[in-house]
């Protein structure tokens, strides 16, 4: 079961929170419901701590969102680390996508 | 390829590798052992482990890894293959088979299976290099911590793998994660670059497609084939380039120079030195053909294709070409490449069924055409019939498989049973190339096992008994297969003590199967062995001797429209002959009628047709004298209690009409006649099995639909001959007793 919450803040930033299994089985539904026509213009805060499992389909969607943010000259921040994401990104040498997380910012803030 | 299909392929291939392992072990057991055999058995274990790893079947990986490790040590001459090790390896092979058959969850919960695994690992310990648990942990878990360190790629040392996997691989259940994890088990991933350049924009993104591409630097001692096999389930639609380290290139060139001066093609030289795999060669050959856009184009050279694709380095290709140019008998011919494809047997069965329908329809068209006077149409239908027959034969040949496969299995059965019984038994196989319908091969396994085990247990004597009887200490069991009169005969013979007729007779009387006064021929006496509950063994053993089995053997063989006969000589041995039809699907038949009911007689059993009216019954029995031979016959109308369906006024001599024609049939050494009213001629017959309700019906083997839409019954000739001979014997013995 995957929970995705997209919140547009008053300050123009967007908060994307994903929890549960983020994989090929849920990827299509999540994309259709939440990301297909999302507009990411300002700061985007990613809350990914709740992800319990991630595969290549899930990881591709995260990278797609990061790329979309950069394309729009916006910024993204990843709040606190996640073991499964760390493991995957180290294995595939893509941890640079996740290196801009601000350890000072705690989830829930 | 979907995940399910890929898994299915894994199971099929694992089974093939297990069979290959068994075959090598049996050779080793006979004292043979060379580097090729060691390479073969190692490769089998290695491929099973590798493929299992891709599917995350860790229970198989964990166990097989240790076996692979031992085989590798034997390959490197660090240990020698000795009898004790062969015994353990046989058990390990069986355990891998058991593991392949169960899911990881089942493997975890099955305590007995787990214990067997632990026990076998302990048994392997004397031949293992280091503590098995340590090795295992080190090799099966990818070393994530140490990889992806920023390293300068050293072309001298590392394999370079460029992966552009097919876009739909995620949808098919293949995540690159499993491949990368597997690569970590055969070497160390020094660097990996994940390319995300091909991502579409947000709106046209498909979350189920793969957009990542990978460039991997791997340090590994594995061969090109092993590395390439990692991706065997995603090769369709993928672009995978594997470049060997430069040190490897030097080795390839050295190997090419050392190759004997054979008449080899470029591809073969490259495969022999390990620079190219058979699969990559096939892909390059396909590309070579597809690059021709019109008939005037010249085929690009194979070397150019391989070099352009970076499949093989230019240096290695030029060394191979040099080698080829030195060969005076050089011929380049790619046309004879042996191509094989794996086809699901269900698809073949569907094809046979459809061809069955085609045959029936062709017969219908034939009937309709013959009703017209349109000669061109009749001729065209004649041609159509010819082609239908060719299609039928070609399709049926697809289902034929050599019986050798099933015979090979008995090498192991004989080895194990002989050990268990403390007997010395040699297995001789003849006619392994004889082909048989796949369905029959599958169903023959159990009956053959019963007969083989019985022959070893009851037939072949213990060593001391054999020596006492002046025989060689080693008994012989022979499995042979050959064609005979449109049938396949599978003979199982031994040079043991033979069947003791007196004991069989005494046992049958004791069990109340026959009466003391019954006079039986040798053949009838032997047939008693197939009676339910019959066993002459003095002691019930775990091998055989419970009397359960031989009756089942007979039933199984009969369900395949076959028969079984026994020949035995006291002190010399016995032979069990199983006679089977070539195929069960479509047969050449002979269409006859009796009282308006249609019957088909399998043509292979027919010797001749005669006019019955010209012959006189001997002593009022259903028996005629045919050129000095006494032939018993059966009248179809009496056997099946047929009444005239459409009373015909034209028939005046009812008796003559009832059995006007006699079809003489043979099965094995027995001959009998079948009396019918009308002979309609040859016909291709699509065999449809009869429903269970007709099972007790003797003499009918199946049914078929005629071109006219009517039903015809296919006669079971072995059963009918048995019936004819049986009734003749009965009359004889009655007459004897009256005198």
């Amino acid at each position: 079961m995957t929970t995705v919450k997209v919140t547009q803040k008053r300050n123009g930033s967007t908060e994307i929170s994903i929890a549960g299994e983020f994989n090929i089985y849920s990827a299509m539904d999540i994309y259709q419901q939440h990301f297909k026509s999302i507009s990411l213009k300002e700061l985007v805060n990613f809350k990914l701590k709740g992800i319990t499992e991630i595969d290549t389909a899930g990881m591709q969607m995260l990278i797609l969102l990061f790329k979309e943010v950069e394309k729009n000259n916006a910024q993204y921040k990843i709040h606190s680390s996640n073991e499964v994401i760390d493991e995957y990104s180290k294995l595939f040498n893509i941890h640079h996508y996740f290196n801009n997380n601000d350890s000072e910012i705690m989830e829930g803030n | 390829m979907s995940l399910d299909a890929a898994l299915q392929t894994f199971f099929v291939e694992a089974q093939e590798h297990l069979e290959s392992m068994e075959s090598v072990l049996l050779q080793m057991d006979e004292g043979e052992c060379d580097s090729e055999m060691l390479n073969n058995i190692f490769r089998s274990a290695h491929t099973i482990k590798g493929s299992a790893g891709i599917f995350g079947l860790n229970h198989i990986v964990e166990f097989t890894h240790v076996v692979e490790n031992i085989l590798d040590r034997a390959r490197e001459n660090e240990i020698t293959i000795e009898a004790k090790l062969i015994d353990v390896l046989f058990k390990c092979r069986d355990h891998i088979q058991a593991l392949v058959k169960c899911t990881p969850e089942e493997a975890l919960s099955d305590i007995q299976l787990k214990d067997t695994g632990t026990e076998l690992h302990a048994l392997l310990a004397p031949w293992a290099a280091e503590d098995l648990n340590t090795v295992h942990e080190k090799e099966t878990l990818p070393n994530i911590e140490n990889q992806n360190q920023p390293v300068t790629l050293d072309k001298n040392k590392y394999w370079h793998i460029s992966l552009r996997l097919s876009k739909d691989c995620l949808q098919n259940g293949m995540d690159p994660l499993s491949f990368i994890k597997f690569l970590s088990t055969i070497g160390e991933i020094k660097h990996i670059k994940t390319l995300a350049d091909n991502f579409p924009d947000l709106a046209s993104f498909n979350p189920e497609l793969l957009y990542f591409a990978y460039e991997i630097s791997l340090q590994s001692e594995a061969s090109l084939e092993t590395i390439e096999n990692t991706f065997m389930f995603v090769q369709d639609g993928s672009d995978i380039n594997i470049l060997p380290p430069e040190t490897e290139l030097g080795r390839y060139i050295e190997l090419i120079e050392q190759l004997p001066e054979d008449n080899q093609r470029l591809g073969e030289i490259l495969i022999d030195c390990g620079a190219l795999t058979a699969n990559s060669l096939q892909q390059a050959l396909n590309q070579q053909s597809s690059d021709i856009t019109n008939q005037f184009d010249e085929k690009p050279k194979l070397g150019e294709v391989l070099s352009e694709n970076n499949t093989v380095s230019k240096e290695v290709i030029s060394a191979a070409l040099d080698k080829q140019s030195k060969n005076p008998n050089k011929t380049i011919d790619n046309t004879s490449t042996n191509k094989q494809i794996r086809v699901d047997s269900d698809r073949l069965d569907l094809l046979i069924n459809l061809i069955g329908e085609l045959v029936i329809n062709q017969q219908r068209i034939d009937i309709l055409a013959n009703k017209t006077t349109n000669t061109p149409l009749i001729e065209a239908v004649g041609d159509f019939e010819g082609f239908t027959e060719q299609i039928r034969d070609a399709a049926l040949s697809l289902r034929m498989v050599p019986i050798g496969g099933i015979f090979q299995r008995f090498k192991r059965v004989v080895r194990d049973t002989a050990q268990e019984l403390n007997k010395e038994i040699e297995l001789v196989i003849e006619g392994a190339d004889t082909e048989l319908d796949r369905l029959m091969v599958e169903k023959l396994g159990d009956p053959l096992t019963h007969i083989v085990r019985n022959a070893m247990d009851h037939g072949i004597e213990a060593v001391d008994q054999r020596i006492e009887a002046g025989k060689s200490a080693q008994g012989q069991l022979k499995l042979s297969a050959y064609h005979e009169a449109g049938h396949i005969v599978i003979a199982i013979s031994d040079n043991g003590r033979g069947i003791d007729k007196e004991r069989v007779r005494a046992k049958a009387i004791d069990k109340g199967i026959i009466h003391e006064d019954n006079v039986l021929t040798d053949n009838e006496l032997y047939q008693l062995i197939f009676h339910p509950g019959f066993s002459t063994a003095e002691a019930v053993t775990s091998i055989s001797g419970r009397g359960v089995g031989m009756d089942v053997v007979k039933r199984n063989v009969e369900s395949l429209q076959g028969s079984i006969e026994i020949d035995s000589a006291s002190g010399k041995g016995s032979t069990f002959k199983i006679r089977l039809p070539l195929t069960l699907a479509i047969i050449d038949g002979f269409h006859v009628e009796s009282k308006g009911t249609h019957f088909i007689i399998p043509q292979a059993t027919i010797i001749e047709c005669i006019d019955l009216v010209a012959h006189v019954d001997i002593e009022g029995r259903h028996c005629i004298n045919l050129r000095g031979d006494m032939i018993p016959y059966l009248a179809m109308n009496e056997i099946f209690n047929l009444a005239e369906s459409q009373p015909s006024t034209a028939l005046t001599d009812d008796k003559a009409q009832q059995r006007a024609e006699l079809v003489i049939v043979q099965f094995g050494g027995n001959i009998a006649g079948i009396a019918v009213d009308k002979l309609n001629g040859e016909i291709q017959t699509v065999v449809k099995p009869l429903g269970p309700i007709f099972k007790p019906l003797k003499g009918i083997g199946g049914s078929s639909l005629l071109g006219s839409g009517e039903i015809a019954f296919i006669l079971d000739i072995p059963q009918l001959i048995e019936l004819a001979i049986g009734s003749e014997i009965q009359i004889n013995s009655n007459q004897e007793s009256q005198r």
Side-chain angles (χ1 to χ4, degrees), chain B residues 1-10 13 55 166 168-174 231-237 342:
Chain B
M1 189 185 269
S2 71
L3 184 62
D4 279 352
L7 248 177
Q8 204 49 45
T9 308
F10 163 71
E13 288 187 351
F55 293 104
S166 68
D168 57 359
C169 77
L170 298 180
Q171 285 170 325
N172 292 334
M174 305 286 175
F231 310 105
M232 69 197 285
F233 297 108
V234 277
Q235 265 159 356
D236 292 348
R342 201 184 283 273

Side-chain angles (χ1 to χ4, degrees), chain A residues 24 27-28 31 35-36 38 55-57 59-61 63-64 67-68 71 87-88 90-94 97, chain B residues 147-148 170 175-177 180 191-192 194 196 199-203 205-212 214:
Chain A
I24 182 85
M28 184 58 90
Y31 168 73
F35 302 142
K36 194 176 180 182
I38 196 170
D55 67 359
T56 302
M59 189 55 80
Q60 281 194 146
M61 209 164 349
I63 308 280
L64 174 80
K67 279 172 161 280
E68 186 67 17
K71 202 169 86 182
E87 194 181 317
Y88 189 104
K90 270 186 193 163
L91 187 63
F92 283 92
N93 207 13
I94 48 172
Y97 284 107
Chain B
Q147 64 197 30
N148 295 329
L170 298 180
D175 195 300
L177 252 175
I180 303 301
H191 186 72
I192 184 164
T194 304
F199 274 54
D201 57 31
L202 193 63
F205 181 81
N206 182 337
E208 290 180 349
L209 295 184
L210 180 73
Y211 298 103
F212 281 143
Y214 308 94

Side-chain angles (χ1 to χ4, degrees), chain B residues 14-288:
Chain B
Q15 195 49 47
E16 283 171 3
H17 284 296
L18 287 164
E19 275 165 22
S20 160
M21 280 176 88
E22 185 169 78
S23 154
V24 174
L25 285 171
L26 284 163
Q27 279 177 281
M28 288 176 169
D29 198 42
E30 283 164 12
E32 295 173 44
C33 187
D34 58 30
S35 58
E36 202 182 323
M37 284 159 66
L38 283 168
N39 280 334
N40 277 346
I41 192 168
F42 169 80
R43 215 174 296 140
S44 294
H46 182 77
T47 311
I48 292 173
K49 186 194 91 166
S51 307
I54 292 167
F55 293 104
L57 303 170
N58 288 334
H59 61 297
I60 301 173
V61 178
E62 283 168 20
F63 182 80
T64 315
H65 170 75
V66 180
V67 179
E68 182 202 1
N69 191 28
I70 304 259
L71 293 171
D72 194 29
R73 294 197 70 205
R75 236 169 36 131
E76 301 295 329
N77 289 325
E78 289 172 27
I79 53 168
T80 45
I81 295 284
E82 50 189 306
K84 266 186 181 175
L85 178 59
I86 296 172
D87 270 345
V88 182
L89 287 173
F90 264 121
K91 286 175 186 157
C92 289
R93 177 237 166 249
D94 293 348
H95 187 65
I96 298 171
Q97 185 160 42
L99 292 174
V100 168
K101 282 182 182 163
C102 66
T103 62
E105 294 75 29
E106 283 167 349
L108 272 176
S109 58
D110 190 332
I111 295 162
Q112 202 185 340
L113 205 62
K114 269 170 86 178
D115 287 351
T116 312
T118 319
E119 208 175 288
L120 288 172
H121 276 179
L123 285 173
L124 285 171
W127 296 279
E130 44 195 304
D131 182 56
L132 295 177
N133 293 330
T134 328
V135 177
H136 177 163
E137 209 168 287
K138 191 172 83 189
E139 299 270 339
T140 52
L141 297 172
N143 189 354
I144 295 165
E145 288 303 312
N146 294 333
Q147 64 197 30
N148 295 329
Q149 299 302 317
V151 287
T152 321
L153 297 187
D154 186 345
K155 277 190 177 175
N156 277 321
K157 286 185 187 166
Y158 308 136
W159 291 85
H160 183 83
I161 304 165
S162 177
L163 285 184
R164 304 291 181 273
L165 297 176
S166 68
K167 286 208 149 202
D168 57 359
C169 77
L170 298 180
Q171 285 170 325
N172 292 334
M174 305 286 175
D175 195 300
L177 252 175
S178 51
F179 305 124
I180 303 301
K181 280 185 178 171
F182 179 70
L183 284 179
S184 308
T185 67
I186 58 169
E188 194 179 336
I189 295 176
K190 284 294 177 183
H191 186 72
I192 184 164
K193 190 171 184 189
T194 304
L195 304 166
D197 306 335
N198 287 330
F199 274 54
D201 57 31
L202 193 63
S204 43
F205 181 81
N206 182 337
E208 290 180 349
L209 295 184
L210 180 73
Y211 298 103
F212 281 143
Y214 308 94
E215 298 291 336
I216 302 158
S217 187
L218 175 77
Q219 185 178 34
S220 173
E221 294 295 315
S223 67
L224 172 63
E225 194 180 5
T226 306
I227 298 175
E228 196 183 271
N229 278 348
T230 309
F231 310 105
M232 69 197 285
F233 297 108
V234 277
Q235 265 159 356
D236 292 348
S238 297
D239 190 4
I240 301 161
N241 274 312
I242 304 169
L243 289 181
E246 274 175 15
T247 46
E248 202 77 358
L249 296 184
R251 202 174 60 83
Y252 290 155
I253 293 167
E254 205 176 299
L255 281 171
I256 288 172
E257 281 160 7
Q258 284 168 8
L259 282 174
E261 291 282 340
D262 277 334
N263 183 18
Q264 282 187 302
R265 302 179 200 123
L266 176 65
E268 288 169 344
I269 296 176
L270 294 171
I271 289 176
D272 278 359
C273 77
L276 183 69
T277 60
N279 187 48
S280 302
L281 172 65
Q282 194 55 54
Q283 282 178 0
L285 289 173
N286 292 345
Q287 190 185 334
Q288 198 185 14

Side-chain angles (χ1 to χ4, degrees), chain B residues 362 380-393 684:
Chain B
Q362 175 268 314
V381 170
D383 289 346
F384 178 50
E385 187 180 351
F387 286 121
T388 311
E389 238 171 82
Q390 286 182 37
I391 293 173
R392 177 200 74 167
D393 291 344
Q684 285 189 64

Side-chain angles (χ1 to χ4, degrees), chain B residues 392-409:
Chain B
R392 177 200 74 167
D393 291 344
L396 285 176
S397 73
L398 294 177
R399 260 203 344 195
M400 302 298 267
V401 292
I403 195 150
I406 197 168
F407 278 1
Q408 288 301 322
R409 254 198 265 163

